[in-house]
Amino acid sequence: MSSRRNLANAIRALSMDAVQKAKSGHPGAPMGMADIAEVLWNDHMKHNPTSPTWVDRDRFVLSNGHGSMLIYSLLHLTGYDLAMEQLASFRQLHSQCAGHPEYGYAPGIETTTGPLGQGISNGVGFALAEKLMADQFNKPGHNIVDHNTYVFLGDGCLMEGISHEACSLAGTWGLGNLIAFWDDNNISIDGHIDGWYTDDTVKRFKAYGWHVLSVDGHDPDAINVAIETAKKIKDQPSMICCKTIIGFGSPNKSGSHDCHGAALGDEEVALTRAELNWPHAPFVIPDEVYAGWDAKAKGARVEKEWNTRFDAYAKEYPELAAEFKRRMAGELPANWSEVAAALVADTNSAGANLASRQASQKCIAGLAPTLPEFLGGSADLTGSNLTSCADFKHVSGKEMGNYISYGVREFGMYAIINGMTLHGGLIPFGGTFHMFSDYAKSALRMAALMKIRTISVLTHDSIGQGEDGPTHQPVENTSAMRLIPNMTVWRPADSTETAVAWTKAIERMDGPTALILSRQGLPFIARTDEQIAAISKGAYVISEADGATVTLIATGSEVNLAIKSQAELANQGIKARVVSMPSTQVFDAQDQAYKDSILTPGVKRVAIEAGVTDYWRKYVGLEGGVVGIDTFGESAPGGVVLEHFGFTVKNVVNIVKGVL
């Protein structure tokens, strides 16, 4: 059997060889953290390489995702279905071993990491989800949800502000199932960090309420004791500060930023092989090293033991067991279609004039009894976002529930939501003012990149926000959100469109949804059954005019303005069709015949939205018109601001005439 150091050296060799072959990558972190990884994965990680999605596995997150060859090496060595050919094609087109770990590319990758600080924040989400699910499903003598989340992170993760947001909450929530390992090597891309990072990390994390230990990151016995100690702490997350040497084993580049983000070079690789006493050719692993790493038999045994325990749980709690399996499979309740249809029908029959944020709250309250996996939250704006309801129990400190006040932490909130979604068993959503979606944009983008269902409730959606002024009036944000690939954006015109948007957000399994909602009241619009059914296609004719010579396209609060303008245009002898387009992406996905039936080819178009105008040129063309705003707003009552910037019937009519 190989020694611990030799097992760790397999990681070092694979990492430096793959980076060298690609002539691109970051060998330093994998080489520096190899000893920590060897102890964690061989002695502590609960996982089954032949069953990568087993629900009670420990989660592992490589927050310093630039060191991706570390996790690829671990997955290959322990027996996951990740062939050596994939490691040898590191960073090449369509390789499972992408430049940074990507969720869905290789088995065992729990989340996409690379943008620093987000991995540890996802880890907080994983750990919170485990704690929430344990609270809901575990019973005396039956701990069917009982696993840990382990996170590797570096100095860069700790410098990013999001780490403060998420790690502060982890301490408040007492996430004893979260154990992080800081790669304390004193190096970042620019060199030795003494000139730009002098935080006392130990005191910082103790101040958050974490349990903190410090070890030599190259001493397996010390690492093992630290992990054992951390696992016994049940009411605090643990930070294990590991003093390491970046690029460990490289005679001339270890301890230097020279091995942080560049290949070592053929000569240095050869010298490192000699230093590590690793005589094997690139991408060759001796049988005894594979034997020392192989986790398949142990993983199968641990999963089988859990299955036995779950069977006993199911006999005593059959309904809970069935519900647990449904939720972890990501399936909606059996009566979901009926509940969703009833919700939409109720809003149409009620005919209430509501701000879409108020309509959203009614949807949340209507859906919560059917969706026990629903998990609400807001970044300190619950009373404004209207994201809570009577059925929710607030998470308070270390008390679990199904509604989270995240505090003023928009970025952290959505990164944590990403982690909870990836864990499974929950449908989390989070609210903030639409303006502050900019703070969170990278986490929202990561959800789209990973193709995971998260829901953002973004209220106060335009200059109609009013008195708070241009700092709070998101003129460009809706268009910016639409430009994120795989992000579905809904900007509903009233309560009925809001209900459809909510149901479609929940039904969508392959990406995130942003609900863009108004502060100001929106008039209810009566619709036929055919029109209601068409909302789910992203755009539909909400007010027809036979022989129309112009099509008015509007979203959200401007749909009512379009209908009023249609009436005035008719008075002046101009026939206008009105199209409500609550989701441009959903409309774009329809077949051409449907799109042509809504936006008639050859008929001039004018778009109306209280935001920047350029996005709408794809629908109206250069010959069409856009009623929008390409400046920042003003501070005044919402109606006054809207009128000031031309969101009036008179201005719409004038622009239509100009187009015609």
mmCIF file of all heavy atoms in Angstrom, residues 574-614:
data_model
loop_
_atom_site.group_PDB
_atom_site.id
_atom_site.type_symbol
_atom_site.label_atom_id
_atom_site.label_comp_id
_atom_site.label_asym_id
_atom_site.label_seq_id
_atom_site.Cartn_x
_atom_site.Cartn_y
_atom_site.Cartn_z
ATOM 1 N N ILE A 574 -56.531 55.416 -36.543
ATOM 2 C CA ILE A 574 -55.379 54.521 -36.678
ATOM 3 C C ILE A 574 -55.677 53.241 -35.907
ATOM 4 O O ILE A 574 -55.938 53.274 -34.703
ATOM 5 C CB ILE A 574 -54.093 55.167 -36.149
ATOM 6 C CG1 ILE A 574 -53.777 56.445 -36.931
ATOM 7 C CG2 ILE A 574 -52.922 54.187 -36.230
ATOM 8 C CD1 ILE A 574 -52.630 57.248 -36.353
ATOM 9 N N LYS A 575 -55.635 52.125 -36.599
ATOM 10 C CA LYS A 575 -55.912 50.840 -35.964
ATOM 11 C C LYS A 575 -54.618 50.236 -35.431
ATOM 12 O O LYS A 575 -53.661 50.065 -36.191
ATOM 13 C CB LYS A 575 -56.575 49.888 -36.955
ATOM 14 C CG LYS A 575 -57.973 50.336 -37.380
ATOM 15 C CD LYS A 575 -58.601 49.311 -38.307
ATOM 16 C CE LYS A 575 -60.026 49.713 -38.683
ATOM 17 N NZ LYS A 575 -60.655 48.705 -39.576
ATOM 18 N N ALA A 576 -54.623 49.929 -34.154
ATOM 19 C CA ALA A 576 -53.422 49.383 -33.515
ATOM 20 C C ALA A 576 -53.760 48.099 -32.769
ATOM 21 O O ALA A 576 -54.772 48.021 -32.062
ATOM 22 C CB ALA A 576 -52.830 50.401 -32.543
ATOM 23 N N ARG A 577 -52.953 47.100 -32.961
ATOM 24 C CA ARG A 577 -53.037 45.859 -32.193
ATOM 25 C C ARG A 577 -52.127 45.997 -30.977
ATOM 26 O O ARG A 577 -51.041 46.556 -31.080
ATOM 27 C CB ARG A 577 -52.577 44.686 -33.063
ATOM 28 C CG ARG A 577 -52.215 43.438 -32.304
ATOM 29 C CD ARG A 577 -51.591 42.397 -33.215
ATOM 30 N NE ARG A 577 -52.618 41.522 -33.775
ATOM 31 C CZ ARG A 577 -52.351 40.414 -34.468
ATOM 32 N NH1 ARG A 577 -51.096 40.076 -34.710
ATOM 33 N NH2 ARG A 577 -53.321 39.653 -34.931
ATOM 34 N N VAL A 578 -52.539 45.475 -29.817
ATOM 35 C CA VAL A 578 -51.717 45.525 -28.605
ATOM 36 C C VAL A 578 -51.261 44.114 -28.239
ATOM 37 O O VAL A 578 -52.082 43.208 -28.090
ATOM 38 C CB VAL A 578 -52.467 46.165 -27.422
ATOM 39 C CG1 VAL A 578 -51.583 46.159 -26.176
ATOM 40 C CG2 VAL A 578 -52.905 47.576 -27.758
ATOM 41 N N VAL A 579 -49.959 43.968 -28.115
ATOM 42 C CA VAL A 579 -49.358 42.695 -27.723
ATOM 43 C C VAL A 579 -48.723 42.859 -26.346
ATOM 44 O O VAL A 579 -47.917 43.771 -26.124
ATOM 45 C CB VAL A 579 -48.290 42.258 -28.746
ATOM 46 C CG1 VAL A 579 -47.478 41.079 -28.205
ATOM 47 C CG2 VAL A 579 -48.935 41.903 -30.071
ATOM 48 N N SER A 580 -49.113 42.008 -25.435
ATOM 49 C CA SER A 580 -48.418 41.930 -24.150
ATOM 50 C C SER A 580 -47.316 40.888 -24.283
ATOM 51 O O SER A 580 -47.565 39.761 -24.730
ATOM 52 C CB SER A 580 -49.381 41.530 -23.032
ATOM 53 O OG SER A 580 -48.688 41.371 -21.811
ATOM 54 N N MET A 581 -46.085 41.274 -23.907
ATOM 55 C CA MET A 581 -44.940 40.366 -24.033
ATOM 56 C C MET A 581 -44.256 40.230 -22.674
ATOM 57 O O MET A 581 -43.189 40.788 -22.436
ATOM 58 C CB MET A 581 -43.951 40.884 -25.082
ATOM 59 C CG MET A 581 -42.884 39.875 -25.477
ATOM 60 S SD MET A 581 -41.743 40.479 -26.758
ATOM 61 C CE MET A 581 -42.779 40.386 -28.219
ATOM 62 N N PRO A 582 -44.864 39.452 -21.757
ATOM 63 C CA PRO A 582 -44.283 39.353 -20.414
ATOM 64 C C PRO A 582 -42.922 38.669 -20.376
ATOM 65 O O PRO A 582 -42.120 38.940 -19.493
ATOM 66 C CB PRO A 582 -45.326 38.556 -19.638
ATOM 67 C CG PRO A 582 -46.111 37.826 -20.675
ATOM 68 C CD PRO A 582 -46.131 38.715 -21.870
ATOM 69 N N SER A 583 -42.645 37.780 -21.356
ATOM 70 C CA SER A 583 -41.332 37.133 -21.378
ATOM 71 C C SER A 583 -40.814 37.067 -22.805
ATOM 72 O O SER A 583 -41.304 36.279 -23.623
ATOM 73 C CB SER A 583 -41.381 35.722 -20.785
ATOM 74 O OG SER A 583 -40.095 35.118 -20.870
ATOM 75 N N THR A 584 -39.810 37.871 -23.089
ATOM 76 C CA THR A 584 -39.252 37.883 -24.438
ATOM 77 C C THR A 584 -38.561 36.564 -24.757
ATOM 78 O O THR A 584 -38.633 36.074 -25.887
ATOM 79 C CB THR A 584 -38.255 39.047 -24.605
ATOM 80 O OG1 THR A 584 -37.170 38.891 -23.692
ATOM 81 C CG2 THR A 584 -38.924 40.382 -24.356
ATOM 82 N N GLN A 585 -37.881 35.955 -23.774
ATOM 83 C CA GLN A 585 -37.172 34.707 -24.051
ATOM 84 C C GLN A 585 -38.135 33.573 -24.359
ATOM 85 O O GLN A 585 -37.892 32.765 -25.261
ATOM 86 C CB GLN A 585 -36.283 34.297 -22.868
ATOM 87 C CG GLN A 585 -35.176 35.260 -22.561
ATOM 88 C CD GLN A 585 -35.576 36.224 -21.469
ATOM 89 O OE1 GLN A 585 -36.770 36.443 -21.218
ATOM 90 N NE2 GLN A 585 -34.605 36.795 -20.812
ATOM 91 N N VAL A 586 -39.235 33.503 -23.609
ATOM 92 C CA VAL A 586 -40.213 32.449 -23.866
ATOM 93 C C VAL A 586 -40.845 32.660 -25.238
ATOM 94 O O VAL A 586 -41.047 31.700 -26.003
ATOM 95 C CB VAL A 586 -41.282 32.423 -22.759
ATOM 96 C CG1 VAL A 586 -42.400 31.443 -23.104
ATOM 97 C CG2 VAL A 586 -40.651 32.042 -21.423
ATOM 98 N N PHE A 587 -41.137 33.893 -25.590
ATOM 99 C CA PHE A 587 -41.682 34.180 -26.914
ATOM 100 C C PHE A 587 -40.688 33.801 -28.007
ATOM 101 O O PHE A 587 -41.054 33.194 -29.019
ATOM 102 C CB PHE A 587 -42.048 35.660 -27.028
ATOM 103 C CG PHE A 587 -42.531 36.059 -28.399
ATOM 104 C CD1 PHE A 587 -43.745 35.594 -28.888
ATOM 105 C CD2 PHE A 587 -41.761 36.877 -29.208
ATOM 106 C CE1 PHE A 587 -44.187 35.950 -30.161
ATOM 107 C CE2 PHE A 587 -42.190 37.244 -30.476
ATOM 108 C CZ PHE A 587 -43.407 36.781 -30.956
ATOM 109 N N ASP A 588 -39.429 34.132 -27.799
ATOM 110 C CA ASP A 588 -38.407 33.828 -28.808
ATOM 111 C C ASP A 588 -38.291 32.326 -29.064
ATOM 112 O O ASP A 588 -37.854 31.905 -30.140
ATOM 113 C CB ASP A 588 -37.047 34.371 -28.378
ATOM 114 C CG ASP A 588 -36.969 35.889 -28.444
ATOM 115 O OD1 ASP A 588 -37.856 36.513 -29.055
ATOM 116 O OD2 ASP A 588 -36.011 36.453 -27.861
ATOM 117 N N ALA A 589 -38.658 31.515 -28.086
ATOM 118 C CA ALA A 589 -38.537 30.064 -28.224
ATOM 119 C C ALA A 589 -39.703 29.435 -28.982
ATOM 120 O O ALA A 589 -39.671 28.240 -29.298
ATOM 121 C CB ALA A 589 -38.419 29.418 -26.839
ATOM 122 N N GLN A 590 -40.730 30.217 -29.307
ATOM 123 C CA GLN A 590 -41.880 29.684 -30.034
ATOM 124 C C GLN A 590 -41.527 29.466 -31.507
ATOM 125 O O GLN A 590 -40.545 30.010 -32.016
ATOM 126 C CB GLN A 590 -43.074 30.629 -29.910
ATOM 127 C CG GLN A 590 -43.470 30.954 -28.485
ATOM 128 C CD GLN A 590 -43.751 29.733 -27.634
ATOM 129 O OE1 GLN A 590 -44.480 28.825 -28.055
ATOM 130 N NE2 GLN A 590 -43.171 29.685 -26.435
ATOM 131 N N ASP A 591 -42.343 28.682 -32.192
ATOM 132 C CA ASP A 591 -42.082 28.460 -33.612
ATOM 133 C C ASP A 591 -42.403 29.726 -34.405
ATOM 134 O O ASP A 591 -43.117 30.618 -33.935
ATOM 135 C CB ASP A 591 -42.867 27.257 -34.137
ATOM 136 C CG ASP A 591 -44.380 27.418 -34.012
ATOM 137 O OD1 ASP A 591 -44.929 28.458 -34.432
ATOM 138 O OD2 ASP A 591 -45.025 26.491 -33.493
ATOM 139 N N GLN A 592 -41.871 29.790 -35.605
ATOM 140 C CA GLN A 592 -41.987 31.005 -36.397
ATOM 141 C C GLN A 592 -43.431 31.328 -36.737
ATOM 142 O O GLN A 592 -43.817 32.508 -36.797
ATOM 143 C CB GLN A 592 -41.164 30.883 -37.684
ATOM 144 C CG GLN A 592 -40.959 32.207 -38.410
ATOM 145 C CD GLN A 592 -40.235 33.231 -37.550
ATOM 146 O OE1 GLN A 592 -39.218 32.916 -36.935
ATOM 147 N NE2 GLN A 592 -40.765 34.454 -37.480
ATOM 148 N N ALA A 593 -44.238 30.303 -36.957
ATOM 149 C CA ALA A 593 -45.640 30.547 -37.301
ATOM 150 C C ALA A 593 -46.344 31.298 -36.177
ATOM 151 O O ALA A 593 -47.114 32.245 -36.431
ATOM 152 C CB ALA A 593 -46.345 29.225 -37.596
ATOM 153 N N TYR A 594 -46.091 30.865 -34.932
ATOM 154 C CA TYR A 594 -46.729 31.563 -33.819
ATOM 155 C C TYR A 594 -46.208 32.991 -33.701
ATOM 156 O O TYR A 594 -46.990 33.936 -33.512
ATOM 157 C CB TYR A 594 -46.500 30.824 -32.496
ATOM 158 C CG TYR A 594 -47.176 31.519 -31.330
ATOM 159 C CD1 TYR A 594 -48.544 31.402 -31.142
ATOM 160 C CD2 TYR A 594 -46.455 32.340 -30.463
ATOM 161 C CE1 TYR A 594 -49.189 32.070 -30.097
ATOM 162 C CE2 TYR A 594 -47.081 33.010 -29.418
ATOM 163 C CZ TYR A 594 -48.447 32.872 -29.249
ATOM 164 O OH TYR A 594 -49.083 33.544 -28.234
ATOM 165 N N LYS A 595 -44.902 33.147 -33.821
ATOM 166 C CA LYS A 595 -44.334 34.496 -33.702
ATOM 167 C C LYS A 595 -44.898 35.422 -34.772
ATOM 168 O O LYS A 595 -45.211 36.592 -34.496
ATOM 169 C CB LYS A 595 -42.809 34.429 -33.763
ATOM 170 C CG LYS A 595 -42.191 33.811 -32.509
ATOM 171 C CD LYS A 595 -40.689 33.950 -32.451
ATOM 172 C CE LYS A 595 -40.002 32.936 -33.299
ATOM 173 N NZ LYS A 595 -38.527 32.904 -33.068
ATOM 174 N N ASP A 596 -45.074 34.905 -35.981
ATOM 175 C CA ASP A 596 -45.637 35.736 -37.058
ATOM 176 C C ASP A 596 -47.111 36.053 -36.807
ATOM 177 O O ASP A 596 -47.610 37.098 -37.241
ATOM 178 C CB ASP A 596 -45.488 35.026 -38.403
ATOM 179 C CG ASP A 596 -44.050 35.018 -38.908
ATOM 180 O OD1 ASP A 596 -43.223 35.777 -38.351
ATOM 181 O OD2 ASP A 596 -43.756 34.250 -39.837
ATOM 182 N N SER A 597 -47.794 35.161 -36.102
ATOM 183 C CA SER A 597 -49.217 35.414 -35.812
ATOM 184 C C SER A 597 -49.391 36.526 -34.779
ATOM 185 O O SER A 597 -50.454 37.143 -34.700
ATOM 186 C CB SER A 597 -49.887 34.133 -35.317
ATOM 187 O OG SER A 597 -49.501 33.831 -33.972
ATOM 188 N N ILE A 598 -48.343 36.765 -34.001
ATOM 189 C CA ILE A 598 -48.403 37.806 -32.970
ATOM 190 C C ILE A 598 -47.810 39.112 -33.492
ATOM 191 O O ILE A 598 -48.421 40.187 -33.351
ATOM 192 C CB ILE A 598 -47.648 37.349 -31.704
ATOM 193 C CG1 ILE A 598 -48.225 36.029 -31.184
ATOM 194 C CG2 ILE A 598 -47.697 38.435 -30.628
ATOM 195 C CD1 ILE A 598 -49.702 36.074 -30.843
ATOM 196 N N LEU A 599 -46.648 39.033 -34.077
ATOM 197 C CA LEU A 599 -45.995 40.205 -34.665
ATOM 198 C C LEU A 599 -46.059 40.052 -36.180
ATOM 199 O O LEU A 599 -45.184 39.460 -36.810
ATOM 200 C CB LEU A 599 -44.545 40.312 -34.178
ATOM 201 C CG LEU A 599 -44.337 40.412 -32.668
ATOM 202 C CD1 LEU A 599 -42.850 40.513 -32.327
ATOM 203 C CD2 LEU A 599 -45.093 41.608 -32.089
ATOM 204 N N THR A 600 -47.125 40.557 -36.756
ATOM 205 C CA THR A 600 -47.398 40.355 -38.181
ATOM 206 C C THR A 600 -46.288 40.950 -39.036
ATOM 207 O O THR A 600 -45.988 42.151 -38.925
ATOM 208 C CB THR A 600 -48.741 41.008 -38.565
ATOM 209 O OG1 THR A 600 -49.751 40.566 -37.651
ATOM 210 C CG2 THR A 600 -49.129 40.652 -39.989
ATOM 211 N N PRO A 601 -45.666 40.137 -39.877
ATOM 212 C CA PRO A 601 -44.620 40.683 -40.756
ATOM 213 C C PRO A 601 -45.157 41.809 -41.637
ATOM 214 O O PRO A 601 -46.278 41.730 -42.149
ATOM 215 C CB PRO A 601 -44.216 39.463 -41.602
ATOM 216 C CG PRO A 601 -44.577 38.282 -40.763
ATOM 217 C CD PRO A 601 -45.816 38.676 -40.028
ATOM 218 N N GLY A 602 -44.371 42.850 -41.776
ATOM 219 C CA GLY A 602 -44.757 43.973 -42.622
ATOM 220 C C GLY A 602 -45.542 45.057 -41.919
ATOM 221 O O GLY A 602 -45.735 46.148 -42.476
ATOM 222 N N VAL A 603 -46.011 44.775 -40.709
ATOM 223 C CA VAL A 603 -46.759 45.778 -39.942
ATOM 224 C C VAL A 603 -45.797 46.497 -38.998
ATOM 225 O O VAL A 603 -45.029 45.859 -38.274
ATOM 226 C CB VAL A 603 -47.908 45.120 -39.143
ATOM 227 C CG1 VAL A 603 -48.603 46.152 -38.263
ATOM 228 C CG2 VAL A 603 -48.910 44.477 -40.098
ATOM 229 N N LYS A 604 -45.818 47.824 -39.028
ATOM 230 C CA LYS A 604 -44.908 48.606 -38.186
ATOM 231 C C LYS A 604 -45.171 48.330 -36.706
ATOM 232 O O LYS A 604 -46.301 48.008 -36.300
ATOM 233 C CB LYS A 604 -45.073 50.103 -38.474
ATOM 234 C CG LYS A 604 -44.686 50.525 -39.891
ATOM 235 C CD LYS A 604 -43.201 50.440 -40.090
ATOM 236 C CE LYS A 604 -42.775 50.900 -41.483
ATOM 237 N NZ LYS A 604 -43.024 52.328 -41.715
ATOM 238 N N ARG A 605 -44.113 48.498 -35.890
ATOM 239 C CA ARG A 605 -44.214 48.167 -34.468
ATOM 240 C C ARG A 605 -43.641 49.279 -33.603
ATOM 241 O O ARG A 605 -42.645 49.911 -33.960
ATOM 242 C CB ARG A 605 -43.453 46.863 -34.176
ATOM 243 C CG ARG A 605 -43.913 45.682 -35.014
ATOM 244 C CD ARG A 605 -42.922 44.537 -34.952
ATOM 245 N NE ARG A 605 -43.252 43.496 -35.921
ATOM 246 C CZ ARG A 605 -42.478 42.463 -36.208
ATOM 247 N NH1 ARG A 605 -41.297 42.332 -35.586
ATOM 248 N NH2 ARG A 605 -42.840 41.569 -37.105
ATOM 249 N N VAL A 606 -44.259 49.441 -32.443
ATOM 250 C CA VAL A 606 -43.767 50.366 -31.422
ATOM 251 C C VAL A 606 -43.761 49.621 -30.091
ATOM 252 O O VAL A 606 -44.776 49.050 -29.689
ATOM 253 C CB VAL A 606 -44.636 51.634 -31.322
ATOM 254 C CG1 VAL A 606 -44.202 52.489 -30.126
ATOM 255 C CG2 VAL A 606 -44.560 52.448 -32.611
ATOM 256 N N ALA A 607 -42.613 49.594 -29.432
ATOM 257 C CA ALA A 607 -42.490 48.940 -28.126
ATOM 258 C C ALA A 607 -42.581 49.979 -27.022
ATOM 259 O O ALA A 607 -42.115 51.114 -27.183
ATOM 260 C CB ALA A 607 -41.170 48.190 -28.028
ATOM 261 N N ILE A 608 -43.172 49.588 -25.903
ATOM 262 C CA ILE A 608 -43.356 50.497 -24.772
ATOM 263 C C ILE A 608 -42.894 49.787 -23.503
ATOM 264 O O ILE A 608 -43.488 48.788 -23.084
ATOM 265 C CB ILE A 608 -44.834 50.924 -24.612
ATOM 266 C CG1 ILE A 608 -45.419 51.386 -25.951
ATOM 267 C CG2 ILE A 608 -44.972 52.017 -23.554
ATOM 268 C CD1 ILE A 608 -46.934 51.557 -25.919
ATOM 269 N N GLU A 609 -41.819 50.268 -22.906
ATOM 270 C CA GLU A 609 -41.334 49.722 -21.643
ATOM 271 C C GLU A 609 -40.540 50.797 -20.919
ATOM 272 O O GLU A 609 -39.720 51.486 -21.543
ATOM 273 C CB GLU A 609 -40.460 48.486 -21.857
ATOM 274 C CG GLU A 609 -40.020 47.843 -20.548
ATOM 275 C CD GLU A 609 -39.260 46.540 -20.741
ATOM 276 O OE1 GLU A 609 -38.106 46.580 -21.195
ATOM 277 O OE2 GLU A 609 -39.842 45.471 -20.440
ATOM 278 N N ALA A 610 -40.753 50.913 -19.627
ATOM 279 C CA ALA A 610 -40.075 51.949 -18.837
ATOM 280 C C ALA A 610 -38.649 51.519 -18.531
ATOM 281 O O ALA A 610 -38.261 51.287 -17.383
ATOM 282 C CB ALA A 610 -40.843 52.229 -17.554
ATOM 283 N N GLY A 611 -37.852 51.413 -19.586
ATOM 284 C CA GLY A 611 -36.459 51.027 -19.471
ATOM 285 C C GLY A 611 -35.716 51.425 -20.726
ATOM 286 O O GLY A 611 -36.274 52.085 -21.615
ATOM 287 N N VAL A 612 -34.460 51.013 -20.828
ATOM 288 C CA VAL A 612 -33.642 51.403 -21.974
ATOM 289 C C VAL A 612 -34.224 50.833 -23.261
ATOM 290 O O VAL A 612 -34.888 49.791 -23.265
ATOM 291 C CB VAL A 612 -32.181 50.945 -21.790
ATOM 292 C CG1 VAL A 612 -31.519 51.710 -20.658
ATOM 293 C CG2 VAL A 612 -32.104 49.442 -21.532
ATOM 294 N N THR A 613 -33.957 51.521 -24.370
ATOM 295 C CA THR A 613 -34.668 51.233 -25.612
ATOM 296 C C THR A 613 -33.976 50.247 -26.537
ATOM 297 O O THR A 613 -34.635 49.590 -27.344
ATOM 298 C CB THR A 613 -34.892 52.548 -26.393
ATOM 299 O OG1 THR A 613 -33.623 53.117 -26.729
ATOM 300 C CG2 THR A 613 -35.684 53.549 -25.562
ATOM 301 N N ASP A 614 -32.649 50.130 -26.472
ATOM 302 C CA ASP A 614 -31.927 49.375 -27.500
ATOM 303 C C ASP A 614 -32.382 47.925 -27.602
ATOM 304 O O ASP A 614 -32.434 47.359 -28.699
ATOM 305 C CB ASP A 614 -30.421 49.418 -27.235
ATOM 306 C CG ASP A 614 -29.778 50.711 -27.698
ATOM 307 O OD1 ASP A 614 -30.503 51.545 -28.279
ATOM 308 O OD2 ASP A 614 -28.563 50.880 -27.475
#
